[in-house]
Each structure stands twice: as structure tokens, then as C-alpha cells.
């Protein structure tokens, strides 16, 4: 059986770090094991355009593995060409790079390694909130440039304490973000999600559910997006929704770039409707050189805490999602198909998880 693995190329960075598993050089550490099972592994980072290696090999691959960090976009067109494709594995969390409706029509199973990097992302969200609210980036750039101007940075620097924070989605990541923020002494913590947290968890965390997204946004100084990308969240944060946010709020998005309309976010940062925006997710990935989020700034020359897609790919996370990928493959190769239920996104032509089921 042919297994196609799409990962980024690490080049020189792979040489000094064998724990960097999520790259073509280290192949999630699974080549020997796959070959020992009698299967063929083809690894590539070349994923764009009709002549790409991905397009060439998807034609007869039975399994495709990719990460959200360097996603091989498994579009409807590619699925139509992939006559043997039975299983798509996301080495990480978030399978929106696969056209799930098209996968269902062909009864292709899509699995991801649920929970494998949720702590990593939650830490990154807390960091990004602090970086934005405290105005860290311009302060750091200043010292690196040999300058010293406290006022230039202090005029746009605040405390997290006493602010209202809200999460869009309180699943594994959203919950962990609030858990980690709690000791900061926020004025209030709010959430908007189709699924309510059990009452005892709401109380333990000290969080309040708000039934309407607009109503929540109007109260928040800080908003963190932690829901999947699906048909009803694509382009959700557009000009109109951002205009319902408190003026001068900070917005952090480590969920998926396409949940926000790129130019509307950049315009909101420039106009002051948003004081700042940060996160690590873009569309497409890698982000084009002229993507507005690379250079957007607020009127103080601040308000940008963007990074490449790194939050869920710490070396600790890579170990977890590499192991989870191997477990999914083992379950498939052996014919047991005993996947962890929480790893299954679509199977037998239908959505398995509630989060993605919102697409329907
Ligand atoms: P999860 O499935 O545990 O939680 C998602 C929550 O979002 C669920 O409670 C669901 O009910 C809720 N939800 C779905 N649609 C919603 C909507 N329209 N409005 C409000 N809530 C909605 O997922 P988890 O592990 O917390 O991950 C969330 C997302 O974060 C993933 O789907 C992925 O896109 C992204 N992610 C990003 C990573 C990164 O490296 N930046 C790494 C891991 C995940």
C-alpha cells in the first residue's frame, strides 16, 4: 500500500534536531516502521499546483498524512483523482484542509490526533494575549535597535488583570486557555459555544456562557478564537462582526486563518476598531509574502503579534502527534479500525464529531 506524507522541509534545521519530527527529513519517525509492515512511504513538501508531487502521488495513494502546519490541501478535485484513497490522517488537530463533504461522498475516513497539541496552543494563546496587551513586540524591537524610549511603548501598554476575556469555542483549547488565564484576575471570563460546559466545570473555572456571539463580543476587551474552521465559521470575523466588538479590543486567533477576513482585520487594526491582532494561523499556508497580517500595525506602530503556524508544533507536541499518527495507522493497517472515537472526524460517509458536524 502506498502512503503519502506531506510535511514541510526543515533543511539545515533538521540536522541538529532529531526531535523535529514534523518535517520531510525526519518523517514523523515512522519510515522504518511503515516499511517493516511492507508498505511504501512517499514523503514530499511539494504540494501546490497541478504538477506538484502531491498531485502526482495522490493518484494511487491509499493513505495521505499531512499536518495543519504545511497542509496538503485535499480538495474535491484531488479526491476525484485519488482513486485508491481510503484514509486521510492529520498529524495534529484540525482537518479543514480536507474537503470533508467530498471525503464523505467517497466514504474516505478522516482522522486527526485529538488533544495532541491543545496544551501547546493554549500556552501560545496566553503568550499572545500578554504580548499584545503588554505591548511587548515594539518594546523588544526598540532594545534590539539600540533605542530607549519608555513613553513610546507605555502609551499602548495595559494590564490583563481587570479585563473581560471571551472565547469563541470552549473545547479542549478554549477551556485550557481560560484555565491558564484565571490566575491573572480577570474581571470576567465569558464563552460562546453551541455546546455548554457542564455546570460544575463552569463553576470551577468561573466562566459564564453567553448565548449570542455578538452579545459576548460587545463585552470583551480580549477575544480568543478556539473553534474549528467549518462552513459556518469561514469568514465569521468580517467587518460587520468586528464592528460589534468593543472598540479597541484585542483579537487572538490560533484556530484557523480563514475564520477571519484578512483585509477586514488589517483595516480594523489600522482604524483602531481593534487595538491589536495576534495568532499563528493564515490562509493559505505558507502565507504569501504580501499577506496584510505580516505588516499591519495600529496607529502606535504596534498591535501585531503574528507568528508562522507554530503554536501546536512545539517539540513536545510533535512527539505526541507523531505517536498518535502511528497509532491511527496501526489501527488501519491491522484492519482493526479501532480508532480512538475522538480522533475520527468523518467515517462511513458521515461526520463523527459534533464540532465538525456543525458544517451540516
Ligand atoms: P475541540 O473540538 O475540543 O473544541 C472545539 C469547540 O468549538 C467545541 O466545543 C465546539 O462545540 C466549538 N464550536 C464549533 N463551532 C463553533 C462555533 N461556530 N462557535 C462557537 N463554538 C464552536 O477542538 P480543540 O482541540 O479545542 O481545537 C479547536 C481548533 O483549534 C481546531 O479545530 C483547530 O482548527 C485549531 N487548532 C490550532 C492549532 C495550532 O497549531 N494553531 C493546533 C490545534 C488546534
Amino acid at each position: 500500500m502506498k502512503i503519502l506524507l506531506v510535511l514541510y522541509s526543515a533543511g539545515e534545521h533538521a540536522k541538529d534536531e532529531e526531535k523535529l519530527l514534523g518535517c520531510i527529513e525526519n518523517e514523523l519517525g515512522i519510515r522504518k516502521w511503515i516499511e517493516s509492515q511492507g508498505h511504501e512511504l512517499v514523503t514530499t513538501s511539494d504540494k501546490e499546483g497541478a504538477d506538484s508531487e502531491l498531485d502526482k502521488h495522490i493518484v494511487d495513494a491509499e493513505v495521505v498524512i499531512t499536518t495543519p502546519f504545511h497542509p496538503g490541501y485535499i480538495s474535491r478535485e484531488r479526491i476525484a483523482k485519488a482513486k485508491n484513497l481510503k484514509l486521510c490522517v492529520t498529524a495534529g488537530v484540525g482537518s479543514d484542509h480536507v474537503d470533508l463533504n467530498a471525503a464523505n461522498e467517497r466514504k474516505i475516513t478522516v482522522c486527526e490526533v485529538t488533544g495532541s497539541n491543545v496544551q501547546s496552543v493554549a500556552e501560545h494563546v496566553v503568550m499572545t494575549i500578554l504580548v499584545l496587551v503588554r505591548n511587548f513586540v515594539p518594546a523588544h524591537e526598540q532594545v534590539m535597535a539600540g533605542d530607549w524610549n519608555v513613553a513610546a511603548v507605555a502609551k499602548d501598554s495595559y494590564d490583563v488583570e481587570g479585563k473581560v476575556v471571551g472565547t469563541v469555542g470552549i473545547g479542549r483549547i478554549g477551556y485550557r486557555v481560560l484555565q491558564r488565564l484565571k490566575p491573572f484576575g480577570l474581571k470576567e471570563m465569558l464563552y460562546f459555544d453551541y455546546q455548554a460546559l457542564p455546570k460544575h466545570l463552569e463553576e470551577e473555572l468561573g466562566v459564564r456562557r453567553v448565548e449570542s456571539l455578538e452579545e459576548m463580543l460587545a463585552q470583551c476587551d480580549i477575544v480568543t478564537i478556539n473553534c474549528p474552521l467549518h462552513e459556518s465559521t469561514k469568514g465569521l470575523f468580517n467587518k460587520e462582526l468586528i464592528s460589534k466588538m468593543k472598540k479597541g479590543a484585542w483579537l487572538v486567533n490560533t484556530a484557523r486563518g480563514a475564520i477571519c477576513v484578512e483585509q477586514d482585520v488589517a483595516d480594523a487594526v489600522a482604524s483602531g476598531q481593534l487595538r491589536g491582532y495576534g495568532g499563528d494561523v493564515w490562509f493559505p499556508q505558507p502565507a504569501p509574502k504580501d499577506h496584510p497580517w505580516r505588516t499591519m500595525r495600529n496607529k502606535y506602530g504596534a498591535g501585531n503579534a503574528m507568528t508562522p503556524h507554530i503554536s501546536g508544533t512545539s517539540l513536545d507536541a510533535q512527539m505526541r502527534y507523531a505517536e498518535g499518527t502511528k497509532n491511527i495507522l496501526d489501527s488501519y493497517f491491522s484492519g482493526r479500525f479501532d480508532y480512538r472515537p475522538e480522533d475520527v472526524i468523518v467515517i462511513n460517509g458521515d461526520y463523527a464529531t459534533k464540532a465538525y458536524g456543525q458544517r451540516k
Side-chain angles (χ1 to χ4, degrees):
M1 154 188 342
K2 183 169 181 175
I3 323 285
L4 176 58
L5 177 57
V6 183
L7 299 167
Y8 54 76
S9 159
E12 59 179 297
H13 305 291
K15 283 194 203 110
D16 50 352
E17 193 41 86
E18 62 191 26
K19 284 189 280 186
L20 193 66
L21 292 169
C23 59
I24 54 169
E25 291 79 1
N26 293 330
E27 300 177 308
L28 301 175
I30 55 175
R31 173 170 288 279
K32 272 198 191 133
W33 174 74
I34 285 186
E35 289 175 347
S36 75
Q37 310 276 307
H39 304 306
E40 180 195 356
L41 179 68
V42 174
T43 306
T44 184
S45 60
D46 180 24
K47 67 187 184 75
E48 303 303 339
D51 297 332
S52 67
E53 288 293 299
L54 166 54
D55 277 274
K56 194 165 115 199
H57 290 288
I58 204 167
V59 174
D60 58 349
E62 184 166 332
V63 178
V64 175
I65 309 164
T66 185
T67 68
F69 313 103
H70 184 76
Y73 294 105
I74 311 301
S75 59
R76 178 172 283 281
E77 294 70 31
R78 281 175 166 161
I79 286 177
K81 285 201 278 188
K83 299 291 179 217
N84 292 348
L85 187 59
K86 303 255 175 19
L87 175 68
C88 295
V89 184
T90 304
V93 175
S95 297
D96 49 274
H97 54 276
V98 182
D99 186 319
L100 297 174
N101 290 334
N104 272 337
E105 287 163 26
R106 278 271 312 279
K107 297 210 165 119
I108 293 166
T109 299
V110 179
C111 286
E112 60 187 46
V113 190
T114 296
S116 56
N117 52 15
V118 293
Q119 56 281 72
S120 324
V121 181
E123 286 183 10
H124 195 98
V125 173
V126 173
M127 175 185 79
T128 306
I129 289 173
L130 285 166
V131 158
L132 281 174
V133 174
R134 307 285 319 169
N135 203 17
F136 177 84
V137 176
H140 182 64
E141 285 170 350
Q142 199 186 89
V143 293
M144 295 288 280
D147 297 334
W148 184 276
N149 188 337
V150 174
V153 173
K155 69 180 180 186
D156 197 28
S157 176
Y158 294 80
D159 297 336
V160 169
E161 185 181 281
K163 301 292 182 292
V164 177
V165 70
T167 176
V168 184
I170 194 156
R172 293 170 182 82
I173 297 174
Y175 184 84
R176 283 169 175 76
V177 168
L178 297 188
Q179 246 184 347
R180 283 156 179 74
L181 282 176
K182 191 177 176 181
F184 281 89
L186 288 143
K187 185 172 172 197
E188 206 175 10
M189 300 203 297
L190 308 174
Y191 78 95
F192 169 76
D193 197 312
Y194 299 116
Q195 307 181 68
L197 269 188
K199 266 278 161 282
H200 73 277
L201 289 182
E202 277 187 5
E203 278 163 22
E204 202 177 291
L205 199 55
V207 64
R208 179 165 67 84
R209 186 180 189 201
V210 183
E211 302 274 342
S212 120
L213 177 58
E214 285 82 359
E215 210 183 291
M216 182 183 87
L217 296 181
Q219 300 173 59
C220 291
D221 302 295
I222 303 162
V223 174
T224 155
I225 305 176
N226 299 296
C227 61
L229 171 63
H230 50 64
E231 278 150 13
S232 58
T233 57
K234 189 169 179 203
L236 178 67
F237 279 77
N238 57 15
K239 189 176 177 189
E240 201 201 333
L241 191 69
I242 294 171
S243 77
K244 308 262 168 63
M245 294 176 68
K246 218 165 143 175
K247 189 170 166 62
W250 294 274
L251 180 58
V252 173
N253 176 15
T254 53
R256 283 296 177 261
I259 294 174
C260 296
V261 176
E262 59 186 54
Q263 196 56 52
D264 291 358
V265 165
D267 291 347
V269 170
S271 74
Q273 175 57 21
L274 289 177
R275 190 174 297 280
Y277 179 92
D280 67 328
V281 284
W282 312 66
F283 184 80
Q285 289 186 183
K289 286 246 181 310
D290 62 350
H291 195 295
W293 295 354
R294 288 181 183 270
T295 50
M296 64 187 174
R297 288 180 187 266
N298 66 17
K299 67 173 176 181
Y300 299 118
N304 184 329
M306 291 304 297
T307 67
H309 193 165
I310 55 163
S311 71
T313 190
S314 61
L315 295 180
D316 299 299
Q318 295 193 30
M319 208 170 60
R320 291 187 295 262
Y321 64 65
E323 194 188 337
T325 300
K326 190 175 168 194
N327 290 339
I328 291 168
L329 291 175
D330 186 42
S331 176
Y332 181 76
F333 294 161
S334 67
R336 295 191 312 272
F337 308 117
D338 55 347
Y339 311 114
R340 294 190 311 164
E342 64 270 33
D343 285 356
V344 183
I345 305 304
V346 302
I347 195 160
N348 300 327
D350 204 359
Y351 289 90
T353 75
K354 276 194 183 165
Y356 285 91
Q358 296 296 339
R359 295 169 61 96
K360 289 199 279 187

